[in-house]
Amino acid sequence: MRFSERGLVWLWLSAVIFIADQLTKYWATEVLTLYVPEKVTSFLNWTLLHNEGIAFSLLADQPGWQRWFILIMASAIVIWLFIWLYNSSRNLKLHNISLALVIGGALGNIYDRAVLGYVVDFIQLHYNDYYWPAFNIADSAITVGAVLLIVDTLFRNQDKEHNESTSG
């Protein structure tokens, strides 16, 4: 399979996510004050936070080993996703878009962790006194990519089973 036929042609989307993530984190770091919420709407704040853990700040209270553990694990996952994308046909658009979103988001957070020692989070959603943990563009891309990958896997398998049952 030639390069133009592989899922790698979607890596431009990973680059867009990475750049958007880093630009917004730079903006947040320059404009916002650490731990001070800036109200945007009745349900959205910009709140600069430094997350030394993983999702929902898990492991953030550890003495520092988690930085390297998370970096190694996230890097291994990105390499695996890159290989998966390399082996995918260009025609599997939703599948490839999903992988590219996750790769771009993961690279954004890996960069933060490697360079800063923590991930910059700044988007904070809430309803009254119920707050969702702060997140960033990279986290959003990872989440959307994972959900789309699940949807693609479920529906592509159903289509395959339907086509096999109607052709037999």
Side-chain angles (χ1 to χ4, degrees):
M1 191 178 338
R2 294 186 325 230
F3 176 81
S4 62
E5 298 170 347
R6 296 184 182 277
L8 288 178
V9 298
W10 290 93
L11 279 178
W12 64 268
L13 181 56
S14 299
V16 168
I17 294 298
F18 177 82
I19 292 166
D21 177 62
Q22 291 303 306
L23 288 174
T24 56
K25 288 174 178 175
Y26 176 79
W27 167 82
T29 301
E30 292 297 311
V31 171
L32 302 173
T33 303
L34 193 60
Y35 307 120
V36 178
E38 295 286 334
K39 183 179 179 178
V40 178
T41 68
S42 62
F43 60 88
L44 171 67
N45 294 336
W46 299 140
T47 306
L48 180 63
L49 301 172
H50 295 165
N51 183 357
E52 295 180 12
I54 55 175
F56 307 110
S57 296
L58 295 172
L59 302 178
D61 60 346
Q62 296 301 304
W65 63 266
Q66 75 277 17
R67 175 184 182 188
W68 304 109
F69 174 75
I70 297 166
L71 265 173
I72 291 166
M73 294 303 296
S75 297
I77 290 168
V78 166
I79 291 167
W80 176 67
L81 292 171
F82 184 82
I83 292 167
W84 194 3
L85 191 61
Y86 174 82
N87 289 319
S88 294
S89 167
R90 177 185 184 156
N91 298 332
L92 300 174
K93 289 181 183 175
L94 185 57
H95 174 82
N96 296 330
I97 289 169
S98 304
L99 294 175
L101 287 170
V102 175
I103 289 169
L107 288 174
N109 284 343
I110 286 171
Y111 179 85
D112 279 13
R113 198 169 305 283
V115 174
L116 303 172
Y118 54 83
V119 173
V120 174
D121 289 328
F122 64 95
I123 303 168
Q124 186 180 52
L125 298 174
H126 61 90
Y127 176 74
N128 292 330
D129 291 332
Y130 300 99
Y131 286 80
W132 186 257
F135 57 97
N136 56 46
I137 300 298
D139 298 334
S140 300
I142 292 167
T143 301
V144 170
V147 168
L148 290 177
L149 189 59
I150 291 167
V151 168
D152 176 65
T153 302
L154 291 173
F155 286 106
R156 194 161 20 107
N157 285 341
Q158 286 179 355
D159 288 345
K160 184 178 175 183
E161 290 171 9
H162 175 73
N163 291 339
E164 288 174 356
S165 67
T166 57
S167 65

